[in-house]
Amino acid sequence: MRSNPSSIVNSDSSLLVLSSGKKPSAHLESLYSAGVQRLEDLLWLLPLRTLPMPKVRPFREAREGELFLGCGKVIHREVKPAYGRRTKGRFLLHNGYVIVKELNGEATLPLRFFNLYPQQKKQIEDWDQVWFLGTMQEWRAQNQIVNPKVHPLLDEAWAQTLGEWLIEYPTVNKVPGSYTAKLFAGLPENFWSDIQSDYGTDELNEMNLARAFRVLHARLSPQEATTEVRKAATERLAYEEFFIDQLKITTRRRFIKKKAGPIIKNDLEALSAFLKLLPFQLTNDQQKSIEQILADMQTGHPMMRMLQGDVGCGKTVVAMLVALMTIHQGKQVALMCPTEALAIQHAKTLADLFGSLPFLKPALLLGSMKKKAKDALSLAMISGETNFVIGTHSLFQESVKFKDLGLAIIDEQHKFGVEQRLQLTAKGAGTHCLIMSATPIPRTLSLAQYGDLDFTTIKAMPAGRKGIKTRLVAKANYPKYIDFIIQRLKMGDQGYFVFPAIEESETMDLQNVTESFKKYQATFPGIKLAMPHGKMKAEEKEATVQAFTEGRIQVLIATSVIEVGINVPNAAFMCVYHPERFGLSSLHQLRGRVGRGDKPGFCFLVLDQELGPEAMSRLEVMEKTIDGFEIAEADLQNRGEGDLFGVDQSGVVTRRRVADFHKHSHILEKVYRDVQQLMREQPGKIDPILLKLARDQKILDTI
Ligand code: ADP
Ligand code: MG
């Protein structure tokens, strides 16, 4: 956003200019540290609510759900302690009940106040004739207003000072909305008129950005800013956000494709030697995927490709074959996994299948490893002595260096962000990047977040799979379900019990799982159960998973550590407790852990309370379909993209604020078309913007 030089304030300038030379107030600094750093960021701090301010009206005109402004005389008041509500044990809070009577009429109206501080309680006692402003609510067939704003009537001009709107800004980083409202009120008129999009989007929209911000910050009269106008303004801001996202994606794509990348040839002889080591034939989809990926790796430019396909379709094998090809041609490969358990499993699969290849020198890099071991590995990677590193997030660290990293593979991309992807590929010159994901990506999301990637999809499952049955288990069916599991255990089947991770408290998780462990040990006497968990050392976890893989343990009890990747063909049942606390895509992933071998799989979603109709119909999707795409769409509709992709923008207010993939998908489509058209028809206009974005995102020097 730009403003002309004559502006008093420029939207690009720091928020701290609002302190006009003095030391910035604590509130201003709190906003700043919450990410509201420039005046432009402040603009994106939108009100929670804006309501047209009503005129003073007689009580009988009050309507439920509407903002009402009235005045009257207090004829009754009651103040009682609000029991059980103390603020940090310091004051006792009070509830108040006040009845006001109209000044020139007989009508009365009750006002209710909850959790009053001592100071507020004293004020109530002083009230005689008052103004009051609040939303009318019906309660037991009577109108009342809860927690209205109240002002003594003595001050006759008060109602005039209210302005045309009631505006409520959100509390940000403990800064009250009223403070933000004052900041806005103090902005000079030309601040608003000078707002302009940096990206030339005003020409592409009916409403310009300046007007959209004015509408949403309630700077126009209620007559002008009707509901439709306000909706259009919100959509205008969504457009801007999507547009910036699209430009960033386009930039990445364009500049990555200009870089030089290592050429990895599709050496058919080598490939057939690798294939001989597999105990099975590749499916057609797997073969095609390998061809597609290798074709991309010999263009001389870096590959940025997503390999997607449902859990168990055989992506890992494909990635490993491509990795072997890369290593065989003298380059190094890094495979990054979201959990240690998965890294360990992949390392084992690699050793089992391809351990006999003389040129392969693999190693594991885990966060939990001792410094000495890490240092040794580090040297081996720099010298090239190790040529295939499998690890977790620790691979991102700056200290991790390679001799010649040709290919970075990222398993289950949605747990990692774009920045991390770039960080990893930056470890080599033009490093190819292959991302594996078992979460099918709905079209709108792929436009919005993965527009810079090429896609390879594996659709078919390896032959011989017996399929999975999914059932919701209500409390009444619990004994039957337990009987069934006991039967399967007697037949030698293995399986999982999974509990949701409880946020932010590893100890609570542990407790949860520990208790269940005891309970189930009692329910299934003679059966070997084990419980890998976050507090275990990597070796311990490895040993547990290993014992399960070899069948020495029959049941794994866990929080979602096994969500991604563990692969035990003999596992036949997956029982998820509190399934309502998981996203559908996570449930789908979990379910994909069973029915992988030649036995049919069973997935039980075990409820321990009655759920509302909405939660039930959400879970019923799992019974109805095993199509990952359908499930991803349903998840997107239910919970928004945040859960699907684990975006953790919590607390940061300057990221996407308005645009919603679901609600605004039509706008995203328009943005996509507009950007494509601009690139075709007006390169002179868009190229400088892309170049600037590439510099801002450090794409030019990191890849
Ligand atoms: P994904 O990574 O897509 O979830 P994996 O690569 O882990 O799937 O494969 C799941 C299981 O199927 C593994 O045990 C693997 O060895 C096996 N598998 C892979 N491809 C085939 C195939 N073409 N035929 C039979 N089994 C296969
Ligand atoms: Mg996998």
Side-chain angles (χ1 to χ4, degrees):
M1 244 151 282
R2 258 174 246 118
S3 7
N4 71 46
S6 66
S7 298
I8 301 175
V9 283
N10 177 309
S11 62
D12 235 355
S13 49
S14 161
L15 181 75
L16 303 182
V17 301
L18 295 183
S19 53
S20 52
K22 285 182 278 199
K23 191 179 173 303
S25 72
H27 280 339
L28 216 46
E29 281 185 346
S30 298
L31 282 178
Y32 195 87
S33 62
V36 186
Q37 302 191 333
R38 296 163 309 153
L39 288 176
E40 186 202 328
D41 300 328
L42 185 64
L43 276 174
W44 285 94
L45 194 65
L46 297 163
L48 287 175
R49 280 207 309 171
T50 42
L51 293 170
M53 192 64 74
K55 299 254 174 306
V56 187
R57 278 178 301 164
F59 288 10
R60 69 187 140 75
E61 286 180 21
R63 295 287 169 269
E64 201 203 340
E66 285 180 9
L67 194 62
F68 183 80
L69 174 62
C71 58
K73 183 176 168 61
V74 173
I75 56 166
H76 175 83
R77 84 196 80 201
E78 267 172 65
V79 180
K80 286 186 187 156
Y83 286 107
R85 296 286 311 230
R86 270 165 205 273
T87 315
K88 292 184 189 136
R90 271 183 299 142
F91 342 89
L92 185 56
L93 301 178
H94 284 78
N95 293 342
Y97 179 70
V98 169
I99 299 179
V100 282
K101 181 172 144 305
E102 224 159 13
L103 288 184
N104 354 322
E106 290 307 307
T108 61
L109 197 65
L111 310 179
R112 270 182 200 280
F113 300 86
F114 292 108
N115 301 321
L116 295 163
Y117 286 98
Q119 179 62 28
Q120 294 171 304
K121 175 188 164 233
K122 239 183 93 226
Q123 282 172 355
I124 290 197
E125 282 150 13
D126 292 339
W127 288 341
D128 178 29
Q129 295 193 356
V130 291
W131 299 103
F132 56 92
L133 172 70
T135 305
M136 193 63 67
Q137 297 178 2
E138 208 181 274
W139 192 70
R140 299 198 177 156
Q142 210 197 353
N143 274 336
Q144 66 169 21
I145 299 184
V146 174
N147 293 335
K149 266 187 198 217
V150 177
H151 195 82
L153 189 60
L154 294 175
D155 183 357
E156 297 230 354
W158 184 73
Q160 267 71 61
T161 66
L162 288 174
E164 295 183 288
W165 296 94
L166 176 76
I167 311 173
E168 273 173 35
Y169 283 93
T171 303
V172 173
N173 199 13
K174 303 208 179 106
V175 178
S178 56
Y179 177 83
T180 306
K182 268 193 219 124
L183 275 187
F184 275 107
L187 293 174
E189 169 52 30
N190 64 347
F191 170 82
W192 296 98
S193 50
D194 289 347
I195 296 168
Q196 240 183 58
S197 168
D198 257 354
Y199 304 98
T201 50
D202 280 343
E203 290 167 30
L204 302 161
N205 284 277
E206 272 175 41
M207 186 185 287
N208 64 36
L209 198 63
R211 185 169 165 84
F213 276 123
R214 270 190 214 234
V215 169
L216 294 177
H217 285 287
R219 313 297 298 183
L220 301 184
S221 70
Q223 293 74 29
E224 255 181 300
T226 58
T227 312
E228 290 88 85
V229 171
R230 297 165 53 70
K231 178 161 175 264
T234 306
E235 293 186 346
R236 176 65 184 87
L237 294 196
Y239 185 98
E240 193 74 7
E241 289 186 318
F242 281 142
F243 196 86
I244 297 169
D245 278 359
Q246 274 309 304
L247 289 188
K248 284 187 181 163
I249 286 169
T250 308
T251 316
R252 283 202 293 273
R253 188 174 179 88
R254 173 174 294 188
F255 289 96
I256 287 163
K257 289 294 168 198
K258 278 191 179 153
K259 282 255 171 190
I263 293 177
I264 308 298
K265 290 192 291 285
N266 187 351
D267 177 344
L268 292 175
E269 206 172 309
L271 185 62
S272 77
F274 305 155
L275 290 177
K276 282 208 186 88
L277 298 172
L278 290 177
F280 47 75
Q281 290 257 305
L282 291 186
T283 62
N284 279 341
D285 279 3
Q286 283 173 315
Q287 276 170 19
K288 270 192 232 146
S289 302
I290 291 175
E291 280 164 27
Q292 212 171 41
I293 293 165
L294 288 174
D296 205 0
M297 287 172 69
Q298 50 187 314
T299 59
H301 300 290
M303 168 174 75
M304 274 287 168
R305 186 169 286 273
M306 168 85 85
L307 175 61
Q308 64 172 354
D310 243 324
V311 186
C313 70
K315 298 180 293 293
T316 311
V317 182
V318 168
M320 282 184 180
L321 288 166
V322 173
L324 292 176
M325 189 67 86
T326 308
I327 294 166
H328 190 56
Q329 294 175 38
K331 305 279 174 192
Q332 289 169 301
V333 176
L335 166 59
M336 198 176 54
C337 312
T339 64
E340 295 208 341
L342 190 53
I344 293 165
Q345 170 126 33
H346 281 333
K348 189 177 167 300
T349 307
L350 183 75
D352 287 352
L353 293 175
F354 304 111
S356 62
L357 290 171
F359 65 85
L360 177 64
K361 291 174 213 115
L364 258 174
L365 175 62
L366 303 176
S368 59
M369 275 167 38
K370 295 245 161 57
K371 185 169 180 305
K372 223 168 138 192
K374 278 188 192 164
D375 288 348
L377 177 56
S378 187
L379 283 179
M381 279 150 60
I382 293 172
S383 70
E385 195 188 313
T386 287
N387 52 23
F388 196 164
V389 187
I390 300 179
T392 51
H393 289 73
S394 36
L395 281 174
F396 289 131
Q397 277 159 21
E398 226 163 276
S399 55
V400 175
K401 294 202 173 67
F402 293 87
K403 181 174 179 227
D404 189 2
L405 182 64
L407 169 67
I409 304 170
I410 302 181
D411 197 1
E412 313 292 352
Q413 148 87 5
H414 60 286
K415 305 271 166 173
F416 302 115
V418 171
E419 282 75 24
Q420 289 169 310
R421 185 204 321 154
L422 295 179
Q423 237 172 331
L424 186 61
T425 49
K427 292 183 184 294
T431 300
H432 296 296
C433 185
L434 183 68
I435 295 156
M436 296 192 274
S437 174
T439 311
I441 299 162
R443 178 180 151 77
T444 38
L445 267 187
S446 71
L447 281 185
Q449 306 205 322
Y450 300 104
D452 57 337
L453 299 178
D454 296 303
F455 280 78
T456 296
T457 307
I458 301 183
K459 291 207 186 77
M461 287 283 170
R465 297 272 160 91
K466 288 283 191 300
I468 307 171
K469 276 208 169 58
T470 304
R471 288 287 170 267
L472 285 167
V473 180
K475 248 198 152 156
N477 294 328
Y478 198 76
K480 239 163 81 191
Y481 146 74
I482 291 289
D483 277 350
F484 180 87
I485 298 292
I486 290 177
Q487 283 308 317
R488 300 308 294 196
L489 287 170
K490 280 192 187 146
M491 289 161 62
D493 280 1
Q494 291 176 282
Y496 309 88
F497 293 128
V498 178
F499 293 81
I502 296 164
E503 268 165 70
E504 285 160 26
S505 165
E506 231 174 280
T507 15
M508 287 251 288
D509 274 0
L510 201 56
Q511 231 175 38
N512 203 20
V513 182
T514 313
E515 270 163 29
S516 313
F517 185 70
K518 285 194 199 127
K519 196 171 111 202
Y520 284 103
Q521 190 65 73
T523 318
F524 304 113
I527 298 295
K528 286 222 161 50
L529 289 79
M531 184 184 67
H533 57 77
K535 287 256 166 85
M536 273 184 175
K537 290 218 180 69
E539 301 95 76
E540 269 182 279
K541 247 193 270 183
E542 185 183 1
T544 313
V545 172
Q546 185 61 24
F548 184 68
T549 313
E550 290 168 7
R552 284 180 284 122
I553 286 171
Q554 255 187 295
V555 177
L556 273 190
I557 300 186
T559 54
S560 30
V561 287
I562 57 163
E563 178 181 337
V564 251
I566 287 189
N567 177 29
V568 176
N570 194 45
F573 57 86
M574 166 66 65
C575 309
V576 185
Y577 289 76
H578 302 287
E580 73 279 4
R581 295 204 214 147
F582 290 85
L584 293 184
S585 296
S586 300
L587 290 176
H588 183 61
Q589 295 261 332
L590 284 170
R591 169 166 73 178
R593 301 296 133 211
V594 296
R596 292 190 141 205
D598 46 14
K599 289 183 182 182
F602 297 92
C603 174
F604 295 103
L605 305 177
V606 186
L607 308 172
D608 79 344
Q609 60 187 28
E610 250 181 62
L611 299 179
E614 222 168 278
M616 280 307 277
S617 71
R618 188 173 80 88
L619 289 177
E620 278 160 8
V621 172
M622 298 300 297
E623 282 188 332
K624 279 182 220 138
T625 181
I626 55 154
D627 180 337
F629 272 98
E630 242 175 80
I631 287 167
E633 285 285 355
D635 221 5
L636 189 61
Q637 309 232 345
N638 282 315
R639 325 213 310 173
E641 83 280 9
D643 288 307
L644 251 179
F645 288 91
V647 191
D648 57 349
Q649 296 305 330
S650 47
V652 181
V653 290
T654 52
R655 285 296 286 261
R656 195 182 292 112
R657 290 131 295 206
V658 178
D660 173 319
F661 288 116
H662 185 48
K663 219 164 41 191
H664 300 131
S665 58
H666 61 294
I667 297 189
L668 178 55
E669 297 277 352
K670 176 170 157 46
V671 165
Y672 182 76
R673 286 193 308 271
D674 286 355
V675 170
Q676 298 301 317
Q677 191 176 354
L678 277 175
M679 294 208 302
R680 269 196 318 274
E681 295 169 12
Q682 300 182 316
K685 205 160 169 182
I686 199 142
D687 286 355
I689 298 178
L690 294 182
L691 193 63
K692 179 177 180 300
L693 276 173
R695 285 207 189 96
D696 290 352
Q697 293 185 83
K698 300 204 170 69
I699 285 179
L700 291 181
D701 36 77
T702 56
I703 293 174

